[in-house]
Amino acid sequence: MIETEGLTKFFGDFEAVHNVNLSVPPGTVLAILGPNGAGKTTTIRMLTSILAPTSGWAKVAGYDVVKDAARVRASVGVLTEQHGLYERMRGLEYLDFFGRIYHLPPNVRQARAEQLMIRFGLGDAFGKRVGEYSKGMKQKLALVRSLLHDPPVLLLDEPTSAMDPQSAKLVRDAIIELRQDKRTIILTTHNLTEAEALADNIGVIRRGRIVAYGDMASLATRFVGPPLMELKTSQPLNGLAKDLAPLVKVVENGENWLRYEASNPAEINPQVLRRVLGLGIDVITLSQLTQTLEDVYLQIVEEDEGQEKQSHERAVQ
Amino acid sequence: MNALSSDTSDHVQTYFGNGFNWLHTLRNAWIITRREVRDSFRDWRIVVPIFLLTLFFPTLANFTSRVFINYFDKQGADGKEFIEAFLPLMPMLVGFFPVSISLVIALETFVGEKERRSLEPLLSTPLTNTELYLGKVFAAMIPPLVAAYLGVGIYIGQMILGSQQWRPDFSLVVLIAVLTTVQALVMVTGAVVVSSQTTSTRAANLLASAIILPMSILVMGESILMIQPHQRYVLWYVAGGLLIVTTLLVRTGAGIFNREELLGRSIDEINLRWAWRIFWEQLTGITREERRAAKAAGRPIRPNPIRYYRRTVFPSIRKLRGASLCLLVAMILSFAGGWALSEKWQLPLENKDNNQILDDMRDIWETAQKDPRWVTLAVTQNMRVLFVATLLGAFSFGVASILLVILPFGILGYLMGNVTAAGISPLPFIVAIIPHGIFEIPAIIIAGAAALRLGSVATKPPQNMTVGEAWLRAFADVVKIGFAVVLPLLMIAGIFEVHVTPKAVEWALTL
């Protein structure tokens, strides 16, 4: 479980993170999205008790990040922005070193390191020097390091960056598995498709502020409007758009197709279908147009930029 | 249970089971040390010099010694004396060269890891800052120290077994071992402080000259002492002094080696605007937020001396309680030490006639009282001493400021001891101090304490404050206290010293 309230961090005069409020229950994944320098890494570092918040508080796995810093760090597995591996060490030796730090008994750390390396396709690289690993292998080894002590909370900074599609899928599957295992997971990523696939909730951070927070559906409704339906028919829809106006908001239409907003598709779509079929028009398809996280994200960024511009203009005046 | 989950979380829960103890700390530190030492021995840039300095350099030193011995043997008795004086120098140098590598390893260990970004995963573990710090300090020290001991051992072994048949005293061997160890400690702990101020090994190497240059000068000084058998005991004091420096550096290093400092600093840049804001806030006692809020409310903050003293000056003085006490104790000890020395080295004092003294002094006093420049002279003299004490204190963890401030009290103790021993009444001397001393001594204590704090604040900055911020705030306190408290007190003391003290002394002499 991760909870924060009013989490703020200043570096000198610069406010890196402002008033971040999060609540991530066990068994859920929160994806934090945002451009470089938005405050994602600083937030993760505060949740790892590496940086102390300037104000506000955060609890990770039930421990306060300031008062119980060491316990927080014992309870989280962190995949840092840069994997930060010791290149002269061998894969297993590296994990053994971290296993010792977490006081895992020798047999446990050996077995666990081997299991995890095999799980992530590093079975052939036990004795290889880390410096000889490929970028993706290094990333996977860093991920194994973060899982080694079986932490209840995982903070993953760009977990699949530098990975080939097959390895990335391995990691995504592992994240899904860990979520099912009731782990609390926060991941930061620039890969919006990945965030959409993995996250229960999404937080968009810009200039240190969480500008949008919620599940994909609520964010989509808030920022790009209700779900968009597309109706395709075999005959021309002469005047149908006007007929449907009291029922739905038609946003676009052509000769034998139209698109409308349906805030509650389960209720509205049957009525639309009844009306169309009642007019003797054959329906080819009625489908929901996909609103991708990319659409939502870009809309959020656009709105935020607009607000920023307005406040800047006000300040100038 | 799948590959991702296990029962290892139980082990994590027992991590903190036994609470804090030193054994636990050392065991954790050793995990870091072991890895780093192994890593060092995998780096040929470290292994080759250590190997050469351990095996080749002692042999070369041995060869040089033989050349010298052969040469001086031919000089007869004088030559033998020179050999006895010269030979202990070599093992000391043989020990120093491998130890100098500790500096390279320390810079690599601290800044190198920061530069390669491999520090963050380590900082994300439950290891404490102390464990990380100790682990890295040991790692930087152990390989060069082992090399140094081996080098010294090889040199001495060759000397014993070789044709020279030179057997050093056991105490000399111990002295060399102790000196080598404390030198390594100073360099490594100094390197931690240096590396904390940089983010690249290049910058750290440039700053390392701040360690290697004083160390080289120190070794030269030690060499001079080493070749003088009767002065050699002083090297024990040098070792003691280095141990004190190490303690201060460890305090500073441990304070700096925290997660916030290590990851908060991303570029080596001087932020003058920020520095000025911190300084100004501390000097005026008004934060930027307070100033803005007052301005927004249409009530800008106006200068108010009473408020300034109440809200800003007195709280700053209260922070000096510990330093003032420390300085007061040092002053008393210095006075007592001066008095004790007077029993050993007495001045040839004669009991002069009071009237004669009065006649001698009256002329000076009368001139002084007519000329206001004497007050200024008294004030500027004191201010100058305190300024120098502050300046030196800032670069010596406050040690120099203590020494400079307590020195006059040692001299005073020495003179009073001599006066009392000569059977002269100490009253005129006491009276010569008290009237202006009532103002001057507190001013000296306050200024000295502020200087001591300025120098020592770097060794342990307050929580949630970087060394830079703590130092800037302490500096602002020095300036504030200097102008708001010390200067006025010294001005009053100056007036008393010129106009009141002479009259009091005159009265005491006529009793």
Side-chain angles (χ1 to χ4, degrees):
Chain A
M1 174 79 175
I2 297 172
E3 274 182 297
T4 74
E5 199 178 293
L7 204 63
T8 301
K9 179 70 188 174
F10 273 91
F11 291 112
D13 277 349
F14 175 67
E15 192 178 31
V17 172
H18 173 80
N19 198 29
V20 167
N21 300 305
L22 299 174
S23 177
V24 192
T28 55
V29 177
L30 167 69
I32 299 181
L33 312 177
N36 293 329
K40 300 188 295 284
T41 303
T42 303
T43 306
I44 296 275
R45 282 177 178 174
M46 282 194 280
L47 296 177
T48 324
S49 288
I50 292 181
L51 296 177
T54 310
S55 61
W57 59 265
K59 278 189 172 183
V60 174
Y63 301 116
D64 186 287
V65 292
V66 176
K67 290 178 198 151
D68 297 310
R71 283 174 206 277
V72 167
R73 288 195 290 267
S75 312
V76 297
V78 189
L79 178 67
T80 49
E81 194 181 7
Q82 261 101 8
H83 48 68
L85 304 168
Y86 297 119
E87 309 243 321
R88 286 195 205 104
M89 292 180 99
R90 297 173 196 283
L92 264 186
E93 187 192 7
Y94 178 76
L95 295 175
D96 183 70
F97 166 64
F98 274 89
R100 278 172 198 272
I101 289 178
Y102 287 104
H103 291 190
L104 303 181
N107 56 335
V108 174
R109 60 176 185 258
Q110 167 87 16
R112 184 131 175 89
E114 284 179 4
Q115 275 173 10
L116 285 168
M117 282 185 83
I118 292 167
R119 170 74 163 80
F120 286 99
L122 296 172
D124 296 336
F126 282 176
K128 221 175 173 182
R129 294 224 187 269
V130 175
E132 293 165 15
Y133 279 31
S134 69
K135 263 187 183 177
M137 286 167 84
K138 283 179 183 171
Q139 183 77 355
K140 282 194 274 185
L141 187 66
L143 185 64
V144 168
R145 176 193 68 212
S146 68
L147 295 170
L148 192 66
H149 57 296
D150 201 10
V153 175
L154 285 161
L155 305 171
L156 310 174
D157 210 345
E158 311 247 0
T160 56
S161 67
M163 281 186 194
D164 58 71
Q166 198 185 351
S167 301
K169 189 180 178 310
L170 255 175
V171 171
R172 280 197 292 271
D173 289 347
I175 292 173
I176 292 167
E177 208 173 298
L178 288 162
R179 177 176 59 184
Q180 285 164 353
D181 202 27
K182 293 285 169 205
R183 310 302 167 102
T184 309
I185 303 168
I186 290 187
L187 62 95
T188 71
T189 181
H190 290 295
N191 185 338
L192 301 180
T193 318
E194 181 176 284
E196 200 173 348
L198 294 175
D200 299 287
N201 283 309
I202 288 155
V204 179
I205 190 165
R206 274 178 59 80
R207 290 171 285 113
R209 289 159 170 77
I210 296 274
V211 290
Y213 185 81
D215 57 36
M216 178 59 196
S218 67
L219 287 180
T221 307
R222 192 176 139 201
F223 290 96
V224 291
L228 208 58
M229 310 306 299
E230 188 178 67
L231 178 79
K232 282 186 180 169
T233 58
S234 53
Q235 293 112 322
L237 294 166
N238 302 329
L240 183 69
K242 272 184 191 168
D243 283 357
L244 288 175
L247 198 62
V248 291
K249 186 182 169 192
V250 177
V251 288
E252 249 180 318
N253 63 300
E255 197 186 343
N256 52 358
W257 64 271
L258 64 83
R259 285 175 186 165
Y260 63 89
E261 282 180 355
S263 51
N264 187 356
E267 194 184 306
I268 290 169
N269 287 350
Q271 292 181 40
V272 171
L273 278 176
R274 271 198 295 275
R275 181 79 58 93
V276 175
L277 294 170
L279 291 169
I281 301 170
D282 292 333
V283 173
I284 300 173
T285 55
L286 174 63
S287 56
Q288 183 171 344
L289 289 180
T290 322
Q291 291 162 313
T292 62
L293 182 57
E294 192 176 330
D295 300 328
V296 177
Y297 178 76
L298 291 175
Q299 186 60 33
I300 292 169
V301 169
E302 200 177 300
E303 278 188 24
D304 190 57
E305 273 172 358
Q307 280 172 9
E308 190 187 350
K309 205 174 164 189
Q310 275 176 8
S311 62
H312 179 72
E313 279 166 5
R314 272 200 298 273
V316 170
Q317 281 165 11
Chain B
M1 189 174 66
N2 55 40
L4 296 172
S5 310
S6 76
D7 56 355
T8 50
S9 50
D10 293 340
H11 305 296
V12 174
Q13 294 311 314
T14 56
Y15 192 93
F16 302 96
N18 301 326
F20 177 82
N21 69 55
W22 271 103
L23 204 66
H24 179 89
T25 301
L26 289 175
R27 205 183 300 139
N28 282 345
W30 184 245
I31 298 172
I32 304 291
T33 306
R34 236 173 64 121
R35 192 208 76 76
E36 304 255 351
V37 170
R38 276 188 184 179
D39 223 33
S40 293
F41 281 118
R42 280 174 182 154
D43 189 344
W44 67 269
R45 292 166 303 176
I46 292 171
V47 172
V48 171
I50 285 188
F51 181 76
L52 286 177
L53 289 170
T54 310
L55 295 175
F56 177 68
F57 188 64
T59 313
L60 184 70
N62 190 277
F63 170 75
T64 315
S65 301
R66 255 185 294 146
V67 172
F68 272 93
I69 289 168
N70 291 339
Y71 176 75
F72 284 107
D73 257 348
K74 291 173 193 158
Q75 312 297 314
D78 288 348
K80 283 214 173 341
E81 201 178 306
F82 187 84
I83 291 166
E84 279 303 308
F86 167 76
L87 280 183
L89 178 64
M90 275 300 180
M92 193 184 88
L93 295 179
V94 165
F96 176 72
F97 285 111
V99 154
S100 63
I101 294 198
S102 62
L103 187 65
V104 179
I105 301 179
L107 292 175
E108 168 66 18
T109 303
F110 288 93
V111 196
E113 193 156 356
K114 210 159 44 163
E115 200 172 34
R116 288 190 299 273
R117 310 283 179 126
S118 52
L119 203 52
E120 194 170 348
L122 213 51
L123 299 179
S124 311
T125 66
L127 291 175
T128 63
N129 292 336
T130 312
E131 287 161 356
L132 286 167
Y133 176 77
L134 286 178
K136 285 182 168 288
V137 166
F138 292 152
M141 276 186 64
I142 289 172
L145 261 186
V146 170
Y149 295 149
L150 270 175
V152 174
I154 289 171
Y155 175 82
I156 293 175
Q158 285 175 346
M159 291 299 280
I160 292 171
L161 301 172
S163 55
Q164 301 83 0
Q165 298 282 303
W166 179 65
R167 283 184 169 74
D169 288 345
F170 180 67
S171 63
L172 180 72
V173 177
V174 175
L175 175 63
I176 289 169
V178 169
L179 271 177
T180 307
T181 311
V182 288
Q183 280 163 356
L185 271 169
V186 167
M187 281 195 277
V188 169
T189 51
V192 179
V193 177
V194 163
S195 55
S196 70
Q197 302 307 309
T198 62
T199 53
S200 66
T201 28
R202 190 178 129 263
N205 282 324
L206 290 172
L207 272 177
S209 58
I211 300 167
I212 203 74
L213 286 178
M215 285 310 289
S216 306
I217 294 166
L218 182 80
V219 170
M220 281 184 222
E222 286 173 356
S223 305
I224 293 167
L225 291 167
M226 190 57 100
I227 58 172
Q228 300 179 71
H230 298 297
Q231 301 296 325
R232 213 170 274 159
Y233 73 96
V234 179
L235 287 171
W236 283 107
Y237 293 105
V238 173
L242 287 175
L243 210 58
I244 292 171
V245 173
T246 304
T247 313
L248 293 168
L249 287 170
V250 165
R251 253 178 82 103
T252 309
I256 290 168
F257 195 79
N258 64 66
R259 289 162 160 89
E260 188 87 16
E261 273 278 322
L262 290 169
L263 288 179
R265 183 185 289 272
S266 55
I267 39 170
D268 301 328
E269 186 185 40
I270 300 171
N271 188 343
L272 286 176
R273 244 168 87 176
W274 169 82
W276 173 250
R277 183 173 68 78
I278 295 291
F279 175 81
W280 190 247
E281 271 186 13
Q282 188 68 19
L283 190 70
T284 58
I286 305 164
T287 62
R288 190 171 58 173
E289 288 71 30
E290 285 173 323
R291 206 180 293 279
R292 278 181 184 166
K295 206 174 167 186
R299 287 193 303 257
I301 301 168
R302 292 183 206 293
N304 179 339
I306 296 169
R307 182 180 171 277
Y308 183 65
Y309 271 86
R310 194 164 42 81
R311 259 198 63 172
T312 313
V313 179
F314 294 140
S316 293
I317 290 178
R318 269 198 291 277
K319 278 188 230 160
L320 302 177
R321 275 179 295 197
S324 302
L325 189 70
C326 175
L327 206 65
L328 194 66
V329 170
M331 279 172 166
I332 293 167
L333 287 176
S334 172
F335 186 85
W339 192 295
L341 283 178
S342 74
E343 286 167 13
K344 205 172 172 185
W345 292 292
Q346 283 180 355
L347 288 173
L349 291 180
E350 49 177 310
N351 201 344
K352 271 194 173 178
D353 177 40
N354 281 359
N355 289 327
Q356 196 192 329
I357 299 170
L358 273 173
D359 287 341
D360 290 347
M361 299 182 96
R362 240 177 222 136
D363 287 344
I364 305 168
W365 291 342
E366 279 167 11
T367 319
Q369 281 166 7
K370 281 176 198 157
D371 190 347
R373 278 181 303 180
W374 281 75
V375 176
T376 317
L377 189 73
V379 175
T380 48
Q381 167 60 15
N382 283 328
M383 283 301 282
R384 203 161 43 207
V385 172
L386 290 174
F387 175 73
V388 172
T390 307
L391 199 68
L392 293 177
F395 297 104
S396 63
F397 298 111
V399 175
S401 58
I402 298 185
L403 293 177
L404 211 64
V405 167
I406 66 171
L407 189 68
F409 290 84
I411 296 168
L412 210 61
Y414 179 67
L415 288 176
M416 291 294 275
N418 269 294
V419 165
T420 316
I424 304 168
S425 164
L427 185 69
F429 292 92
I430 296 168
V431 168
I433 298 163
I434 285 183
H436 65 278
I438 291 171
F439 303 99
E440 196 177 284
I441 294 172
I444 291 171
I445 292 176
I446 291 170
L452 174 60
R453 187 166 167 266
L454 176 68
S456 60
V457 76
T459 66
K460 204 178 181 206
Q463 246 186 349
N464 297 329
M465 216 182 268
T466 61
V467 176
E469 185 179 345
W471 195 88
L472 276 172
R473 289 191 186 279
F475 179 57
D477 278 345
V478 166
V479 176
K480 184 198 304 177
I481 290 167
F483 281 102
V485 180
V486 176
L487 186 61
L489 280 174
L490 287 181
M491 283 166 83
I492 298 168
I495 293 166
F496 268 65
E497 195 167 355
V498 174
H499 296 282
V500 180
T501 305
K503 285 198 166 48
V505 174
E506 198 174 350
W507 164 78
L509 286 171
T510 50
L511 279 179

